[in-house]
Amino acid sequence: MEKYHKQDVAPIEKENERDENYEASNPQIDSERTRNNYRFTPYFGTTYTEFINGRIKELGLSPRKDAVVMNSFVLGSDKTFFDGLAKVEQYNFFSDCYKFFAEHYGEENIIAAVVHNDETTPHMHLNLMPVTKDGRLCSKQLFGKPQLQQLQTDFYETVGKRWGLQRGKKAVKRSTFPPQNLRQKR
């Protein structure tokens, strides 16, 4: 999970929403396959920043300039897991991932959920606004260390088990979600 302030959002959007003309510094991106990327969230022509500003206005908030306005997750497993799934099953796996986050953090707070099929291993970038149940913007409350550990456990119980994945080691510091060691059971 990564945290972003307003000024950091546009570059993340540029990479997540890339098209065939995107100039990637990542050699794993195959621009010939970029057309196979897809979204789980509708696109209404608004940028991530416009979405965030609209949601802030809707909630009647006036966040500090240094407030975390977006949390990003990378969802997936290893190549072996995805190689064993038909395309429709891959879609269903990512749909389950999306539904999990929508149920836990509110679909109205999900900025974008984009599946990248143009890299070595398929994965989803899910970006959401950290809005608490009482309508405050507070990444620390939603995604502090204990909350992230519980999130990983809940995600495994709801999604991972269903797809035959193993729970990663608890209390392992990772920058992606779920942990890279959330792999297919053998």
Side-chain angles (χ1 to χ4, degrees), residues 50-133:
E50 289 168 338
F51 178 99
I52 291 165
N53 289 340
R55 188 80 177 111
I56 286 170
K57 185 177 180 182
E58 182 180 307
L59 292 166
L61 302 175
S62 54
R64 295 172 21 170
K65 287 186 184 216
D66 65 346
V68 172
V69 296
M70 184 172 83
N71 291 87
S72 293
F73 297 84
V74 179
L75 304 155
S77 186
D78 62 11
K79 186 167 175 22
T80 304
F81 171 74
F82 286 106
D83 286 348
L85 298 179
K87 292 292 181 199
V88 69
E89 291 173 311
Q90 288 182 20
Y91 179 90
N92 290 338
F93 169 76
F94 288 121
S95 178
D96 286 351
C97 293
Y98 175 81
K99 288 174 190 172
F100 173 86
F101 277 83
E103 289 170 8
H104 283 74
Y105 302 104
E107 192 168 28
E108 67 280 7
N109 295 316
I110 297 178
I111 300 165
V114 181
V115 175
H116 284 169
N117 283 310
D118 59 356
E119 295 182 51
T120 306
T121 305
H123 58 277
M124 174 190 280
H125 292 271
L126 190 135
N127 305 292
L128 60 83
M129 287 185 66
V131 177
T132 62
K133 297 212 182 289

Side-chain angles (χ1 to χ4, degrees), residues 12-78:
I12 301 306
E13 176 179 15
K14 185 175 180 182
E15 188 203 334
N16 288 352
E17 302 292 340
R18 63 182 173 246
D19 63 15
E20 293 84 3
N21 300 316
Y22 177 73
E23 292 186 28
S25 59
N26 180 351
Q28 293 182 348
I29 296 174
D30 178 357
S31 61
E32 295 293 317
R33 296 186 325 183
T34 299
R35 68 181 174 278
N36 298 325
N37 295 349
Y38 58 91
R39 302 176 108 248
F40 274 91
T41 47
Y43 180 69
F44 297 113
T46 59
T47 66
Y48 290 13
T49 300
E50 289 168 338
F51 178 99
I52 291 165
N53 289 340
R55 188 80 177 111
I56 286 170
K57 185 177 180 182
E58 182 180 307
L59 292 166
L61 302 175
S62 54
R64 295 172 21 170
K65 287 186 184 216
D66 65 346
V68 172
V69 296
M70 184 172 83
N71 291 87
S72 293
F73 297 84
V74 179
L75 304 155
S77 186
D78 62 11

